[in-house]
C-alpha cells in the first residue's frame, strides 16, 4: 500500500501586494464536504473550494483582514442515517479569539467571542449537538450548536493546541504541554492524565471506531495510545516536529504530517508508505469521507492530495492489487494468470473470501466469482460510502452511513437488521461478526452487550434479548461451520479474557465459559470450527472449543500451543484459512504459520458421522491431542462407543468405567441423562429423567451430588421416596459426626424411622441402579451388591 500524491505547480493561496509582488501564504486547515470536494483556509484570508472531479478551484469567500483561520471542522452530515439540517455548514476558529459558523456558500452565520487569544481548535461532537473549543488562554469550552456557551470544562496554565471528542461524545481529550488529558463531561467523574511526549504536544486525534488515540509533538515522535492511556506504539524520532496526525474514517489507517513529510501508517503504528513532497510543514490533515484520499494543508501555500493505492487482498491462490483508483489486478499464483478488473467509479472497499470478491465503488457494488472474473454481478448502492464488507460462505454484509445490509452473492437483498441506538459509523470487523445463519453486533452504547440477529430475516434471535457480559467487550467472532443450534460465539473483554458461549439459548441463560487469558487477537477457521488466538506470548489453537461444554478437564489436551515471542509486540491475526494462519507483526511483516491438517479432517469425519474413519485417523496419527478431540466430539454427539475408545487411548480410565456403566443402563432415557451428567449438565439430566417419569433416578442424581434440598423438594413434590432422601441424609450426617440443622429436613423427619435392611430386588426400568434406599433399604440379590449393602449396615 502506498500514497499517490499530487499538488498544483503554483499554489492557489497567494497574497497579492500593490506592486504585484506575490507571497505564498500558509494554508492552515482543510476539510472535505464530500469524497470529491474540499475546502481550504489560509493566512491570505481566502476560503477556497477544490473540486477533484473537474480539477477546478474557486474562491468561496474572502474573510475580513483581521481573521486569520486556524482550524476548520464540518458539521457532521449523517447521524444514524438521517441528514442534519446543518450539514452544509462548518466552524472556523481564528486568531482573534473568535469562532465563526459559516455556511457552505461562505456566508458567516455567526461569530462568537470565545477565548482570550487565538482559538486553536474547534470540534463538533459526533451527534452534532455540541462544539468544543480550546485556545491560547488554556480554556476548554463547550458550546451549543447555535453558539451559546454551555460550560467551561477546564482551565489550563498553558495553551491547548488540540482537542478531540471521545467515541461516545461523553469525554473530551485535549493537550496540556507534554500531557494528554481525558476529561468526562460529568462534573465529578475521574479525569485521566498522563505524560505522553518529551516535548509540547501539537496535535491529537481520537478514533470513534477503534477507540485509539494518536498524538504528535515537538519531540519529533508520533504515538498510538488506547483509551486508558496505555502506549501501543511510539515512532522513532523524525528530523522535524510532527505537526499533524489524522485517523482514517474506518480506523484502519492514519496519516502523519511533518516538514516535507507525509506518512501512511497502519492502526498498530507501523508505516505503509513515506512520501517526501516539497510542501513545507503539513499543518493539518483531513481524510475524505470514503477513506480513499488525504488532503494536507501545507506551509508553502499548497494543498497536497494523496490517494491510497496498491492495497492488497489475498485468499488461497489469488492475490488482488488495487493498481489505480479504478483498476484491480488479479493474479493466480498457481499458473501466474493475470486478469485486470476495470470499474466505472473509484474503488472504496473490497473483500476477498469464500470464493468471491466483493468490491464497492462510490455508486455500485460488484460481486466476482473466483471461477469467472469476466462477468461480475453489479447492483447500485443506496449510499456510496461503504465502511465495512464482511463475508460468510452464503452471503455478505455491507455497512454504510445509512444502515446494515445483508446480500446474497446473487445480489439479492436478504435483510437489513436494526436495533435501538444503532450507530453504523463506529462498527468494524472486531465489533461485527457474520456466519451463514447469525449476525452478531457489539453495542457501542453499552459495550457489555452483543445483539444477535437471524441472518435471513434480520429479526432478533430467539426471545430478542441480547447477550450480556459482566465487563466491556472488545472483540467478537462467530464460528462458521456446523448446525445453527450449535453456533458458538467467542469474545475478548477489556481484561483480555477469552470467553465462549452458545448463541442459541432456547429460553434459558446460556453458560459463558472462559477458555483463555491475556488474549488480544483471534480468528475462526473458514472450513471447520477451529479457533486460533494469541495469548500473551503464546500462539494457541483450540482444535475443538466446544470441549468446555462436554468435559472441561479435557480442554487443555485439545490445544496446540507455540511460543509467539518471535512475533514482537502486538501482533495481529490477519486470517485463518485452511491449515494456515497469517499473522502480522508490529513492524508490518507477515508470518505464515502452518498447523496440523488432521484436526480439520477429524472435524469433517465427525460432521459426516464417520466414526470408524475418525478412529482410524487417530490411530494413524498417534497423537494424544487428536484422541482428546475425538473423545469430546463423541460425547457431544452421544456416541459412547467411540468415546470409550478415545478416553482409553488418553488414559482416562475412570471415565472409561463410567461410560461402561452408562452403556449397561436398561433405558434410553436413563442413558441420555447420564451422558448429560457426564458433561456436567445436571439440570438438563434431571429434566430429562422427570419428563420420562423416572422420578427415583432424578432424586438419586441429586442425592449422589449432595443436592439435598433439591432431592427433598422433588420427593415431596412427587410424593414418593421422601424416606429415601431422609435416610441418605441421615447416613451422610452420621458419617461426618454431624447433627441435622435444616428445619425442612427436621420437619419431614418427625415420625419417620429409617430401617436399613437387605431385600432381594429385581432391576426395573424405574429403578435400574444397584443401590436403592427406601424405608426398607433394597439391593439386588447379587454377591457384589450384597457386599455393598453389608458394608452400609456395618457402618450403620
Amino acid at each position: 500500500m502506498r500514497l499517490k500524491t499530487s499538488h498544483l505547480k503554483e499554489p492557489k493561496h497567494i497574497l497579492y501586494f500593490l506592486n504585484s509582488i506575490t507571497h505564498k501564504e500558509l494554508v492552515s486547515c482543510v476539510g472535505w464536504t464530500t469524497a470529491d470536494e474540499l475546502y481550504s483556509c489560509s493566512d491570505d484570508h481566502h476560503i477556497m473550494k477544490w473540486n477533484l472531479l473537474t480539477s477546478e478551484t474557486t474562491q468561496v469567500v474572502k474573510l475580513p483582514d483581521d481573521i486569520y483561520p486556524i482550524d476548520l471542522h464540518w458539521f457532521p452530515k449523517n447521524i444514524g442515517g438521517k441528514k442534519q439540517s446543518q450539514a452544509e455548514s462548518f466552524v472556523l476558529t481564528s486568531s482573534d479569539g473568535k469562532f465563526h459558523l459559516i455556511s457552505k456558500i461562505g456566508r458567516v452565520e455567526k461569530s462568537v467571542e470565545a477565548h482570550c487569544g487565538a482559538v486553536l481548535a474547534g470540534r463538533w461532537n459526533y451527534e452534532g449537538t455540541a462544539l468544543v473549543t480550546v485556545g491560547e488562554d488554556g480554556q476548554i469550552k463547550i458550546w451549543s450548536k447555535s453558539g451559546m456557551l454551555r460550560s467551561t470544562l477546564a482551565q489550563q496554565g498553558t495553551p491547548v493546541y488540540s482537542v478531540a471528542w471521545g467515541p461516545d461524545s461523553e469525554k473530551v481529550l485535549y493537550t496540556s504541554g507534554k500531557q494528554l488529558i481525558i476529561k468526562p463531561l460529568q462534573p465529578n467523574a475521574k479525569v485521566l492524565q498522563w505524560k505522553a511526549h518529551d516535548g509540547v504536544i501539537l496535535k491529537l486525534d481520537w478514533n470513534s471506531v477503534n477507540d485509539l488515540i494518536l498524538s504528535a509533538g515537538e519531540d519529533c515522535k508520533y504515538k498510538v495510545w488506547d483509551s486508558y492511556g496505555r502506549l501501543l506504539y511510539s515512532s522513532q524520532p523524525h528530523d522535524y516536529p510532527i505537526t499533524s496526525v489524522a485517523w482514517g474514517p474506518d480506523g484502519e489507517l492514519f496519516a502523519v504530517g511533518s516538514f516535507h513529510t507525509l506518512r501512511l501508517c497502519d492502526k498498530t503504528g507501523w508505516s505503509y508508505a513515506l512520501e517526501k513532497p516539497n510542501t513545507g510543514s503539513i499543518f493539518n490533515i483531513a481524510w475524505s469521507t470514503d477513506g480513499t484520499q488525504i488532503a494536507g494543508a501545507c506551509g508553502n501555500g499548497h494543498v497536497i492530495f494523496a490517494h491510497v493505492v496498491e492495497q492488497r487482498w489475498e485468499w488461497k491462490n489469488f492475490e488482488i492489487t488495487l493498481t489505480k483508483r479504478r483498476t484491480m489486478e488479479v493474479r493466480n499464483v498457481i499458473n501466474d494468470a493475470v486478469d485486470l478488473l476495470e470499474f466505472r467509479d473509484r474503488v472504496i472497499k473490497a473483500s476477498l473470501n469464500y470464493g468471491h470478491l466483493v468490491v464497492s465503488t462510490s455508486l455500485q457494488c460488484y460481486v466476482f466469482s473466483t471461477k469467472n472474473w469476466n462477468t461480475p454481478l453489479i447492483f447500485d448502492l443506496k449510499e456510496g460510502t461503504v465502511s465495512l464488507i464482511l463475508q460468510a460462505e452464503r452471503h455478505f454484509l455491507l455497512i454504510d452511513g445509512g444502515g446494515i445490509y445483508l446480500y446474497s452473492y446473487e445480489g439479492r437483498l436478504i435483510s437489513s437488521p436494526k436495533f435501538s441506538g444503532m450507530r453504523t459509523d463506529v462498527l468494524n470487523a472486531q465489533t461485527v461478526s457474520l456466519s451463514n445463519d447469525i449476525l452478531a453486533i457489539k453495542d457501542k452504547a453499552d459495550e457489555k452487550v452483543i445483539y444477535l440477529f437471524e441472518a435471513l430475516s434480520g429479526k432478533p434471535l430467539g426471545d430478542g434479548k441480547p447477550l450480556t457480559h459482566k465487563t466491556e467487550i472488545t472483540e467478537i467472532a462467530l464460528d462458521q461451520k456446523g448446525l445453527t443450534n450449535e453456533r458458538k460465539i467467542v469474545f475478548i473483554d477489556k481484561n483480555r479474557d477469552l470467553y465462549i458461549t452458545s448463541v442459541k439459548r432456547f429460553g434459558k441463560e446460556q453458560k459463558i465459559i472462559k477458555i483463555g487469558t491475556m488474549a488480544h487477537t483471534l480468528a475462526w477457521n473458514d472450513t471447520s470450527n477451529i479457533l486460533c488466538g494469541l495469548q500473551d506470548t503464546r500462539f494457541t489453537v483450540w482444535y475443538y472449543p466446544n470441549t468446555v461444554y462436554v468435559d472441561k478437564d479435557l480442554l487443555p489436551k485439545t490445544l496446540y500451543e507455540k511460543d509467539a515471542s518471535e512475533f514482537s509486540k502486538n501482533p495481529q491475526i490477519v486470517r485463518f484459512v485452511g491449515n494456515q494462519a497469517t499473522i502480522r507483526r508490529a513492524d508490518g511483516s507477515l508470518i505464515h504459520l502452518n498447523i496440523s491438517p488432521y484436526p480439520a479432517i477429524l472435524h469433517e469425519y465427525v460432521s459426516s458421522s464417520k466414526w470408524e474413519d475418525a478412529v482410524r485417523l487417530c490411530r494413524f496419527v498417534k497423537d494424544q491431542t487428536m484422541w482428546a478431540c475425538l473423545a469430546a466430539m463423541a460425547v457431544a454427539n452421544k456416541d459412547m462407543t467411540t468415546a470409550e475408545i478415545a478416553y482409553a487411548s488418553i488414559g482416562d480410565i475412570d471415565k472409561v468405567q463410567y461410560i461402561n456403566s452408562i452403556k449397561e443402563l436398561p433405558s434410553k432415557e436413563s442413558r441420555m441423562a447420564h451422558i448429560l451428567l457426564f458433561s456436567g449438565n445436571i439440570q438438563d439430566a434431571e429434566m430429562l429423567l422427570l419428563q420420562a417419569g423416572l422420578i427415583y433416578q432424578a432424586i438419586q442424581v441429586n442425592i449422589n451430588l449432595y443436592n439435598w434440598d433439591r432431592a427433598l423438594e422433588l420427593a415431596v413434590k412427587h410424593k414418593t421416596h421422601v424416606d429415601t432422601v431422609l435416610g441418605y441424609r441421615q447416613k451422610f450426617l452420621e458419617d461426618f459426626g454431624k447433627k441435622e440443622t435444616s428445619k425442612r429436613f427436621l420437619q419431614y423427619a418427625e415420625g419417620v424411622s429409617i430401617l436399613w435392611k437387605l431385600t432381594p430386588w429385581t432391576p426395573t426400568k424405574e429403578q435400574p441402579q444397584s443401590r436403592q434406599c427406601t424405608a426398607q433399604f433394597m439391593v439386588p440379590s447379587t454377591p457384589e451388591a450384597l457386599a455393598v449393602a453389608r458394608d452400609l449396615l456395618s457402618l450403620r
Side-chain angles (χ1 to χ4, degrees), residues 408-449:
S408 69
Y409 286 112
E410 292 75 41
R412 179 175 57 86
L413 179 63
I414 298 172
S415 62
S416 181
K418 292 182 177 65
F419 60 89
S420 177
M422 181 176 74
R423 277 182 60 188
T424 56
D425 60 316
V426 296
L427 299 177
N428 61 9
Q430 284 72 48
T431 57
V432 183
S433 186
L434 178 67
S435 69
N436 284 334
D437 39 51
I438 306 291
L439 171 65
I441 304 173
K442 190 194 83 171
D443 187 16
K444 191 67 179 179
D446 184 356
E447 296 195 339
K448 300 176 184 178
V449 171

Side-chain angles (χ1 to χ4, degrees), residues 73 76 79 123-132 150 165-166 169:
H73 192 223
I79 307 298
R123 284 289 178 270
W124 294 106
N125 68 358
Y126 292 100
E127 290 76 27
T129 56
L131 171 72
V132 61
R150 287 182 179 171
W165 288 94
S169 297

